[in-house]
Each structure stands twice: as C-alpha cells, then as structure tokens.
C-alpha cells in the first residue's frame, strides 16, 4: 500500500519548466542562445506523453502490487526498475551527449501544456506535500524514537520545507529500510537526484561539469571526508513514502511502524556495540 513515490513526481519531467532571469543582459544572451537550439519534435513529445500516461496508470495499488511482486520473484529491485522508467536520460551518456539532448526548444504542444498548467495552478491550488510532511513530523515526534534522539530530521530548522522527499536520520539506516520493506512500507536509502558532489571552478574536468566525489581531492590535495555533514547525511538518511497521495490513516501507520522499528534497531545496534567492546 505504501509503494515507491518515484512515480508521483513525473509532471516536471514531462511538462518542462520556466526560468526567470532578473539580469536583462544575461536574459538577452540566453534568449539568443536558446533561439539557435533545434526544436523538439512533436512525435518525441507525444511519445513521452504516452510513456508517462502508462506510468501514472501504474500508480494504482493493484497493478503496481503485481509488478513489484513479479520483480521480487525475479530477484530484481523494483525501485531501480521504476527509476529507469522515469529517468529521461541514460547514465551512460557523456557530458556532451547529455547537453546535446537538453539543448532543445520546446515543441508547440509542450508550450500549450505549460501554459495550461500555469492557468490551472492559479485557479486550483496545487497538491501540497509541505502540509503532509509537517503532519508526518508531528506524528513521529509523539513517539519515543524522536524524544530519545534515535530519529532526527535533517534541515528541520530551515525556514521553509517543500517535502519533495521526506528524509529521516537514523543510526542504522540499512536495517530500518529492510525492516520497513518487510512490513510493507517502501522506504529507501537513496534518491536518484541526491548524492555528495564536489565542484571545482578552478579545476574543471575536460568538457566542463562536475567532478566525481574524490577526484577533486586528488587535484587539490585534500583528504576525503572533509565534508563530514554531507557524508553523515548520506550514511544515515532514510526516505519515507510521504506525499499528498498517502491517506492519513496510512501516515499514522507508517509513523507508528517507524517509531517501533527505529527503537528496536537502535537497541540492537547498542547491544552489538557493547558486546564487541
């Protein structure tokens, strides 16, 4: 019932987006460069629409339950499978190939879809993950795990929260994710768009872009692990399937389950540590 939320956020991938530029000189340069890009074909756009229509239909509980269990019988990770379906571009692409695919002017149907999306968002407020995220935080804070410090919320002190994803910090993230999956909650350890990356302006790799983690250390003579908070987050973060599509009674069930399992895993971790000590 609490399946992967990868499919819940496909609208931006399909419908594109709009960039607002305050600097007029930069805006003119961008418009001139954009005008030279090739136009996205209508057939390509309609094929993407068909693809995402199928993905939306797969969000229904029964078909996605069948697919997940079939993949498990084949010993395949269903999250990797769905990420592969949603991903717009292959990871095998080089930096130059990726830029060539991104540098496309939107087709006319895509422009009409963006305009419709903007008009409808003015009339009807979009679904709000932020409200659901705050509700989940309050549910978890009622449990012992948060009160004892076993569970924490990264970025909790930020002024605004969108809760595009819902992260937790726990001592033993891998054990908690495995226990939640066995209980029917499709939690995950990672996200397709979140990873520790270091950027060097003075030492750009050939072709530009970002260096992989560790490459810049070798260039600048720094030691690995000099971003301790980033690595700590990557090591202990768990993502829960929390969104406006999840009913309140499921949210309460997930919160109780996370609280109970986090306490158990924390107890096992301390016991294991004391035994080895």
């Amino acid at each position: 019932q609490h399946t992967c939320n990868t499919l819940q956020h496909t609208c931006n991938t399909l419908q594109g987006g709009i960039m607002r530029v305050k600097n007029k000189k930069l805006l003119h340069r961008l418009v001139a460069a954009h005008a030279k890009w090739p136009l996205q074909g209508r057939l390509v756009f309609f094929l993407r629409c068909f693809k995402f229509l199928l993905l939306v239909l797969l969000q229904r509980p029964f078909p996605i339950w069948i697919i997940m269990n079939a993949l498990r019988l084949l010993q395949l990770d269903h999250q990797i499978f769905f990420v592969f379906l949603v991903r717009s571009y292959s990871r095998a692409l080089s930096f130059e190939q990726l830029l060539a695919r991104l540098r496309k002017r939107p087709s006319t149907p895509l422009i009409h879809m963006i305009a419709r999306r903007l008009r409808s968002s003015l009339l009807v407020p979009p679904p709000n993950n932020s409200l659901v995220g705050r509700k989940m935080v309050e549910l978890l804070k009622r449990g012992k795990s948060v009160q004892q410090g076993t569970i924490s919320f990264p970025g909790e002190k930020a002024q605004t929260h969108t809760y595009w994803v819902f992260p937790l910090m726990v001592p033993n993230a891998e054990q908690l994710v495995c226990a939640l999956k066995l209980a029917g909650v499709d939690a995950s350890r990672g996200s397709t768009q979140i990873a520790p990356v270091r950027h060097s302006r003075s030492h750009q790799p050939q072709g530009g872009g970002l260096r992989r983690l560790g490459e810049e250390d070798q260039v600048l003579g720094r030691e690995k692990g000099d971003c301790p908070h980033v690595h700590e987050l990557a090591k202990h973060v768990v993502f829960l399937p929390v969104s406006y599509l999840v009913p309140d009674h499921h949210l309460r069930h997930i919160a109780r389950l996370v609280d109970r399992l986090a306490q158990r895993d924390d107890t096992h971790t301390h016991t294991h540590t004391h035994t080895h000590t």
Side-chain angles (χ1 to χ4, degrees), residues 197-211:
V197 176
R198 296 198 180 107
H199 182 242
S200 171
R201 295 184 179 275
S202 58
H203 298 87
Q204 288 286 350
Q206 187 175 4
L210 297 174
R211 295 183 182 276

Side-chain angles (χ1 to χ4, degrees), residues 69-139:
N69 282 278
L71 291 172
R72 285 172 181 171
L73 289 176
L74 297 173
Q75 296 183 343
L76 298 175
D77 190 329
H78 65 276
Q79 290 184 342
I80 295 177
F81 173 75
F82 285 120
V83 167
F84 172 77
L85 291 180
V86 174
R87 189 180 296 278
S88 299
Y89 306 105
S90 170
R91 287 187 174 184
L93 292 176
S94 66
F95 185 73
E96 291 75 14
Q97 290 172 327
L98 178 62
L99 285 182
R101 293 200 180 189
L102 290 174
R103 287 171 175 162
K104 296 288 178 63
R105 287 181 292 142
S107 61
T108 302
L110 174 55
I111 294 176
H112 282 294
M113 181 176 287
I114 295 177
R116 179 181 179 277
R117 185 181 177 189
L118 290 173
R119 288 194 299 268
S120 62
S121 66
L122 293 176
L123 298 174
V124 180
N128 193 346
N129 272 352
S130 179
L131 180 63
V132 180
R134 291 196 299 268
K135 184 183 299 184
M136 190 63 173
V137 170
E138 291 303 317
L139 288 172

Side-chain angles (χ1 to χ4, degrees), residues 106-255:
S107 61
T108 302
L110 174 55
I111 294 176
H112 282 294
M113 181 176 287
I114 295 177
R116 179 181 179 277
R117 185 181 177 189
L118 290 173
R119 288 194 299 268
S120 62
S121 66
L122 293 176
L123 298 174
V124 180
N128 193 346
N129 272 352
S130 179
L131 180 63
V132 180
R134 291 196 299 268
K135 184 183 299 184
M136 190 63 173
V137 170
E138 291 303 317
L139 288 172
L140 288 168
K141 283 185 175 180
R142 297 174 188 174
K144 294 182 179 179
S145 296
V146 174
Q147 297 172 9
Q148 295 172 354
T150 306
I151 292 177
S152 60
F153 306 99
E156 184 181 13
K157 295 183 180 180
Q159 293 182 351
T160 58
H161 296 275
T162 61
Y163 289 109
W164 181 252
V165 292
F166 190 91
L168 296 176
M169 292 278 285
V170 293
N172 200 326
E174 195 65 42
Q175 286 188 10
L176 179 60
V177 167
C178 291
L180 286 172
K181 286 186 176 181
L182 289 175
V185 178
D186 194 36
S188 64
R189 281 281 294 111
S191 171
T192 58
Q193 307 298 334
I194 300 176
V197 176
R198 296 198 180 107
H199 182 242
S200 171
R201 295 184 179 275
S202 58
H203 298 87
Q204 288 286 350
Q206 187 175 4
L210 297 174
R211 295 183 182 276
R212 292 184 179 181
L213 188 64
E215 289 183 1
E216 186 182 302
D217 294 326
Q218 298 173 6
V219 174
L220 301 180
R222 302 190 307 196
E223 295 183 359
K224 291 184 179 180
D226 60 350
C227 297
H229 298 295
V230 175
H231 289 278
E232 189 73 7
L233 177 65
K235 183 179 178 181
H236 296 286
V237 71
V238 170
F239 295 97
L240 297 181
V242 175
S243 80
Y244 64 91
L245 296 174
V246 181
D248 285 349
H249 63 282
H250 286 330
L251 290 176
R252 291 192 293 269
H253 172 70
I254 294 174

